[in-house]
């Protein structure tokens, strides 16, 4: 794999990672405002 | 009448969006979706949002006694400051990176070491920010 391809793959991985973090924030915010689960975060282990 | 402490807000909502939004913007330039010159837009956002907001969130996690949140948000907040300072000071010629060789790469690998360090502690958290899918090494459901 050439470096530019790795760079691009890392970029897409970063988009997924950042989007997951944004969903986590959205879920915590929305669940807190509505006082119930509107965006699931999964159970605590 | 005894003092009852006011309910605390969850700082993770703040820290996660500070991390996530800045990461998505930088990654869109790395993926080639946005032009490489867009990094000039990412640098100030890394200071003003990704860095600053996560540092505030980390300090608020400290107040809640959340060691994981404190370590993760303060570390990644400082990461964004380092990343932006490296880019801005390098561009301005205030620091000379021409002789750095692989040092930037090694620094990024050291930041990568922090990830399994945090993942090792993450089992007690919610699925979304917690354990990886069962298909991943170390994952379970």
């Amino acid at each position: 794999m050439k470096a530019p391809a790795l760079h691009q793959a890392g970029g897409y991985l970063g988009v997924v990672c950042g989007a997951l973090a944004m969903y986590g924030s959205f879920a915590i915010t929305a669940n807190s405002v509505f006082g119930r689960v509107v965006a699931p975060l999964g159970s605590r282990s | 009448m005894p003092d009852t402490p006011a309910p605390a807000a969850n700082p993770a909502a703040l820290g996660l969006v500070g991390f996530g939004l800045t990461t998505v913007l930088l990654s869109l330039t790395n993926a080639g979706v946005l032009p490489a010159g867009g990094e000039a837009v990412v640098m100030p956002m890394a200071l003003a949002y990704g860095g600053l907001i996560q540092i505030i969130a980390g300090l608020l996690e400290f107040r809640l006694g959340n060691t994981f949140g404190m370590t993760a948000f303060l570390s990644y907040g400082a990461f964004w400051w380092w990343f932006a300072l490296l880019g801005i000071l390098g561009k301005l010629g205030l620091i000379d990176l021409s002789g750095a060789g692989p040092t930037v790469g090694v620094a990024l690998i050291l930041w990568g070491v922090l990830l399994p360090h945090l993942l090792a502690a993450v089992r007690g958290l919610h699925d979304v920010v917690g354990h990886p899918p069962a298909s991943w090494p170390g994952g379970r459901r």
Side-chain angles (χ1 to χ4, degrees):
Chain A
M1 207 180 209
K2 284 185 171 171
L6 257 182
H7 195 85
Q8 192 175 24
Y12 282 114
L13 192 62
V15 171
V16 172
C17 176
L20 273 173
M22 287 174 73
Y23 172 76
S25 174
F26 162 74
I28 293 170
T29 311
N31 295 347
S32 166
V33 167
F34 286 94
R36 62 189 168 86
V37 174
V38 291
L41 282 166
S43 57
R44 287 181 191 275
S45 61
Chain B
M1 190 175 142
D3 280 341
T4 47
N10 186 350
L14 180 66
L16 281 171
V17 77
F19 167 82
L21 202 145
T22 316
T23 300
V24 167
L25 190 68
L26 174 66
S27 297
L28 286 173
T29 68
N30 284 338
V33 177
L34 291 170
E39 238 183 68
V41 180
V42 179
M43 298 299 177
M45 184 181 278
L47 295 176
Y49 198 57
L52 176 68
I53 286 303
Q54 283 193 93
I55 286 170
I56 292 172
L59 292 173
L60 293 172
E61 293 280 18
F62 170 82
R63 205 169 135 266
L64 295 182
N66 184 351
T67 303
F68 175 84
M70 177 197 73
T71 308
F73 285 139
L74 285 178
S75 292
Y76 285 112
F79 168 86
W80 278 121
W81 272 81
W82 169 73
F83 179 81
L85 287 172
L86 190 69
I88 293 169
L89 295 179
K91 195 83 173 176
L92 291 175
L94 290 173
I95 53 175
D96 179 15
L97 296 169
S98 61
T103 313
V104 172
V106 171
L108 286 169
I109 288 170
L110 285 172
W111 278 105
V113 170
L114 180 65
L115 188 64
H117 157 150
L118 290 170
L119 281 177
V122 91
R123 294 305 182 92
L125 303 180
H126 283 295
D127 286 345
V128 167
V129 290
H131 22 97
S135 55
W136 292 14
R140 71 193 164 105
R141 263 295 139 87

